[in-house]
Amino acid sequence: MGERLVVIGGNAGGMTAATNARRRNGDLDIVALESSSWVSYSACGIPYLAGGDVERVEDLVARTPQEFRDRNRIDVRLRHEALSVDTDAGQVEVRDHEHGRTVKLPYDKLVIATGARPMRPPIPGINGETVLGVQTLADAQRLLERADRIAPKKVVVVGGGYIGLEMAEAFLRRGAEVSVVDAAPEIMGTLDPDMAAMVRTAMVRMGVEVRCGTGVVGFEPGAVHLDGGETLAADLVILGLGVTPNTELAEAAGVELGVKGAIRVDIRQRTSIANIWSAGDCCESHHRVSGRPVHVALGTVANRQARVAGINLGGGYATFPGVVGTAVTKICATEVARSGLSEREADDAGLEYVVAKIKATTRADYFPGSKPIVVKLLAERVT
């Protein structure tokens, strides 16, 4: 038996690292621990599950534990929660929820791929049963079960980021009255306000009520209380406030954290402790344009980081050059994409820039299917 690789976390970061390590080292003993009942699934598809485009939770699963065992000889253990990591002894304390026992699992190499969770600020009532975050398949299943049971007529989405807006569209398609509440002056904070305003206009045109510059001060069954004293009726509340990395386990083990509490890694995805690696939503990235560390919770980034980690764990050599801030989504009928730095991000990085904006069409005006398109470009002054 070769060295043992233990992977904590069974989604994009963990399983991609495990399979890439296996491809390069057939002698590794690989054990993957997942606290939930699913591995290797597409969290990006959850809004489409909620909206009815995807029929079943299982449709978002790319591979089952048995497939990993059969194809890759990876011992996937569901409902196994890592409680602590002893870096001196080289072992993980694991709670086996399936059999109600706690065991110590030795490792030679360790991957921490614990992902992220929806932000839950300390607002009164935020832990109520009608206030749901959406990050994992377990979250999605809870949301669907509740939505099917109560058939919500009024849904409030708190937060105007990608997931929040996609969930707003999903419940609009289910026939609910949907309101989006965002404390920021404009939705989609990753865009410049002038571009985000076009997305807001498109959502309002589709029937979504959007309230910007409005904070939430409390939740109670059937109601969301706003900071201006107003109350919105809500059969269901969905949190779209972003995510925070799950790094408590790593921090307790002495692993160095970086921006936004994410795990600090080098270009080979190694942490500050020997033989411990990290990938996915729990760790930080290098932004190739600003030159700064950033926390980007996207499946595309997680897969690339994990591939690099897996190649290195399997005895190869690979580096992750970083991210450039690319993200793409569709909100109602509006397709939205961005890459590089927004004006705010460029200002924060100390860069001077010029701006150009064009309004054109997606194809020649005379050709059927021509649609309007707006492109905004920032370029560094001098270069």
Side-chain angles (χ1 to χ4, degrees):
M1 185 66 70
E3 291 183 311
R4 173 175 284 169
L5 167 63
V6 173
V7 177
I8 303 175
N11 202 14
M15 299 316 298
T16 301
T19 53
N20 276 274
R22 167 60 74 225
R23 290 189 187 112
R24 285 156 184 83
N25 189 338
D27 295 327
L28 275 175
D29 172 25
I30 305 178
V31 179
L33 307 172
E34 170 55 43
S35 60
S36 76
S37 301
W38 296 278
V39 293
S40 193
Y41 58 84
S42 174
C44 299
I46 291 175
Y48 305 105
L49 179 69
D53 295 300
V54 178
E55 291 185 2
R56 304 176 306 143
V57 169
E58 290 74 18
D59 292 337
L60 297 181
V61 176
R63 277 197 194 179
T64 65
Q66 192 61 49
E67 287 176 308
F68 280 109
R69 295 186 189 103
D70 295 341
R71 297 181 188 178
N72 307 102
R73 291 184 291 114
I74 297 173
D75 180 6
V76 178
R77 303 181 185 180
L78 297 179
R79 290 177 46 76
H80 278 62
E81 179 185 3
L83 301 178
S84 65
V85 176
D86 185 337
T87 57
D88 293 329
Q91 62 184 19
V92 182
E93 183 180 18
V94 183
R95 181 63 179 173
D96 176 359
H97 292 286
E98 197 67 39
H99 299 96
R101 63 187 180 186
T102 300
V103 298
K104 300 272 180 82
L105 183 65
Y107 70 85
D108 298 293
K109 297 177 180 178
L110 181 70
V111 175
I112 299 177
T114 44
R117 63 184 181 274
M119 287 184 183
R120 283 184 174 267
I123 300 173
I126 197 167
N127 293 318
E129 62 178 15
T130 59
V131 182
L132 301 175
V134 183
Q135 181 69 14
T136 66
L137 274 196
D139 296 334
Q141 189 172 53
R142 281 192 295 269
L143 175 65
L144 283 179
E145 287 173 352
R146 180 160 296 279
D148 290 341
R149 187 167 66 249
I150 67 175
K153 295 291 187 288
K154 294 181 181 294
V155 174
V156 174
V157 177
V158 182
Y162 291 98
I163 293 296
L165 298 187
E166 289 170 359
M167 293 303 297
E169 179 184 1
F171 278 91
L172 187 70
R173 294 181 62 184
R174 290 177 71 112
E177 294 180 25
V178 181
S179 299
V180 174
V181 179
D182 198 319
E186 190 56 84
I187 59 171
M188 297 199 79
T190 55
L191 301 180
D192 286 327
D194 57 332
M195 300 298 280
M198 291 188 286
V199 180
R200 173 171 48 82
T201 299
M203 294 194 71
V204 171
R205 191 165 55 240
M206 294 294 289
V208 178
E209 180 187 28
V210 181
R211 295 170 176 252
C212 296
T214 303
V216 173
V217 296
F219 302 94
E220 62 180 6
V224 176
H225 301 293
L226 308 181
D227 56 10
E230 191 177 356
T231 296
L232 293 179
D235 303 314
L236 187 65
V237 178
I238 300 171
L239 299 179
L241 296 168
V243 298
T244 186
N246 292 320
T247 53
E248 291 79 6
L249 183 75
E251 183 178 26
V255 174
E256 184 180 353
L257 304 185
V259 61
K260 294 187 178 178
I263 295 171
R264 180 157 288 159
V265 292
D266 66 10
I267 59 174
R268 297 182 68 189
Q269 298 301 128
R270 298 177 296 190
T271 73
S272 60
I273 295 181
N275 297 319
I276 299 183
W277 310 67
S278 185
D281 293 356
C282 62
C283 75
E284 65 179 19
S285 300
H286 169 76
H287 200 295
R288 298 180 66 179
V289 184
S290 71
R292 294 183 168 190
V294 291
H295 177 240
V296 179
L298 289 175
T300 50
V301 174
N303 275 299
R304 292 201 299 273
Q305 289 178 333
R307 182 173 180 273
V308 167
I311 290 171
N312 289 305
L313 285 160
Y317 178 81
T319 61
F320 181 57
V323 300
V324 293
T326 302
V328 181
T329 188
K330 183 180 78 69
I331 308 296
C332 296
T334 302
E335 296 171 356
V336 185
R338 58 98 68 194
S339 193
L341 302 177
S342 66
E343 290 194 53
R344 175 181 54 78
E345 290 167 335
D347 289 337
D348 289 345
L351 298 172
E352 291 192 13
Y353 54 89
V354 293
V355 178
K357 186 187 288 187
I358 63 166
K359 296 183 179 181
T361 54
T362 55
R363 58 187 73 176
D365 290 344
Y366 61 80
F367 202 85
S370 178
K371 301 287 185 181
I373 185 171
V374 180
V375 178
K376 180 176 182 177
L377 176 69
L378 276 64
E380 185 182 14
R381 196 183 298 277
V382 179
T383 63

